[in-house]
Amino acid sequence: MCCARFNSPVGRVHLGHLSAAGGAMMTAIDFQNLTLGYNRHPVVSQLQTEIVEGSLTAIVGPNGAGKSTLLKGVVGALTPIDGRVVIGSIGRENMAYLPQQSDIDRSFPLSVADIVAMGLWREIGPFGWLGIKRRARVETAIAAVGLTGFESRVIGSLSGGQMQRALFARLLLQDANLVLLDEPFLSVDARTMADLICVIQNWHEEGRTVLAVLHDNEMIKAHFPDTLMLARELVAHGPTDKVLTSDNQFRARQMCEACAGPPHVCGRDAA
């Protein structure tokens, strides 16, 4: 399946990044001494960095490093324990979030067309009428991810890869300028992963800002220009070839091992 099929109808993370024209790039997300957690126990601690508009960033780290928690903080599902998340000119109303599939209830009898049409919620509200033109957009999004013929299939009958395609079709309809993806390639086949990478690359080419929690370092090196490495605290953030080093990965493992057990305050000194 060609990347060109995923064209949608329609934007890096350091202070001082410059645009091609030589001007400072706009900040999409500013993490200001951010601490997030559960029941006042920190999971992400004192994160200080920026995500630049139009960047394509992988979020990496060992299990328990706080990657998914960070995305929940960005979308506002978690209130910071300390510090704050500042969303730039994009605004939270222009944000799309794809949680892990395990967070989605597939027992509810929704069809593929139903769940994809939810991408139009901002336009029509929970009880709005799709109409002919919007139904055509739903069909176009379904076709763009290779699910033509699955429109009436109940989502509980889909494979992991088919379900993820449907969720990406929903994202296409949301048409957001800030896209957050939590483990988008978990439990999907290689062809589905390749097709969905095409969708992500097209978003990047269109100037959208994309953050994705990922684990496959070789895939990240091939497709994600920037990487943010977490181990409950920031390990490194910048160009992928500078972040995904063996030294940084070893340090991240040390930091997380020092925090094994219930979340608690731990720090860089552990590494």
Side-chain angles (χ1 to χ4, degrees), residues 201-222:
Q201 288 179 326
N202 280 347
W203 284 331
H204 181 49
E205 290 169 7
E206 291 167 354
R208 302 171 197 263
T209 306
V210 182
L211 283 78
V213 173
L214 300 167
H215 288 283
D216 186 335
N217 287 348
E218 294 308 311
M219 184 269 292
I220 293 168
K221 291 175 183 177

Side-chain angles (χ1 to χ4, degrees), residues 48-240:
Q48 183 81 35
T49 193
E50 297 180 358
I51 303 293
V52 173
E53 285 189 11
S55 59
L56 176 56
T57 304
I59 301 175
V60 303
N63 291 335
K67 304 181 293 295
S68 298
T69 298
L70 181 61
L71 293 191
K72 291 176 181 177
V74 175
V75 299
L78 279 179
T79 300
I81 295 172
D82 195 13
R84 59 179 184 159
V85 181
V86 177
I87 306 298
S89 60
I90 291 174
R92 277 200 170 92
E93 68 280 0
N94 200 6
M95 181 188 302
Y97 170 52
L98 180 62
Q100 294 184 26
Q101 279 202 35
S102 60
D103 293 338
I104 297 171
D105 183 5
R106 295 178 61 180
S107 65
F108 199 78
L110 290 173
S111 69
V112 168
D114 289 335
I115 198 167
V116 173
M118 289 179 180
L120 296 171
W121 187 88
R122 279 194 303 167
E123 292 184 27
I124 64 177
F127 305 109
W129 180 253
L130 282 178
I132 295 175
K133 290 184 178 180
R134 290 193 179 102
R135 288 188 184 278
R137 289 167 61 191
V138 171
E139 292 173 1
T140 298
I142 290 172
V145 297
L147 283 181
T148 297
F150 286 75
E151 291 85 351
S152 299
R153 286 274 297 271
V154 177
I155 61 172
S157 68
L158 300 178
S159 69
Q162 291 165 345
M163 181 65 182
Q164 206 69 341
R165 288 176 186 266
L167 294 172
F168 265 70
R170 184 175 71 181
L171 291 172
L172 287 172
L173 287 181
Q174 286 181 261
D175 200 24
N177 283 330
L178 174 57
V179 183
L180 310 175
L181 309 170
D182 194 355
E183 303 274 17
F185 308 130
L186 191 65
S187 302
V188 304
D189 57 279
R191 180 177 176 180
T192 295
M193 184 172 74
D195 290 345
L196 298 183
I197 286 173
C198 285
V199 178
I200 293 171
Q201 288 179 326
N202 280 347
W203 284 331
H204 181 49
E205 290 169 7
E206 291 167 354
R208 302 171 197 263
T209 306
V210 182
L211 283 78
V213 173
L214 300 167
H215 288 283
D216 186 335
N217 287 348
E218 294 308 311
M219 184 269 292
I220 293 168
K221 291 175 183 177
H223 300 291
F224 285 76
D226 290 328
T227 295
L228 189 160
M229 185 180 291
L230 279 179
R232 300 202 178 182
E233 298 180 7
L234 181 65
V235 178
H237 186 194
T240 293

Side-chain angles (χ1 to χ4, degrees), residues 3-9 144 172 202 205-206:
C3 287
R5 287 191 54 183
F6 297 108
N7 288 334
S8 65
L172 287 172
N202 280 347
E205 290 169 7
E206 291 167 354

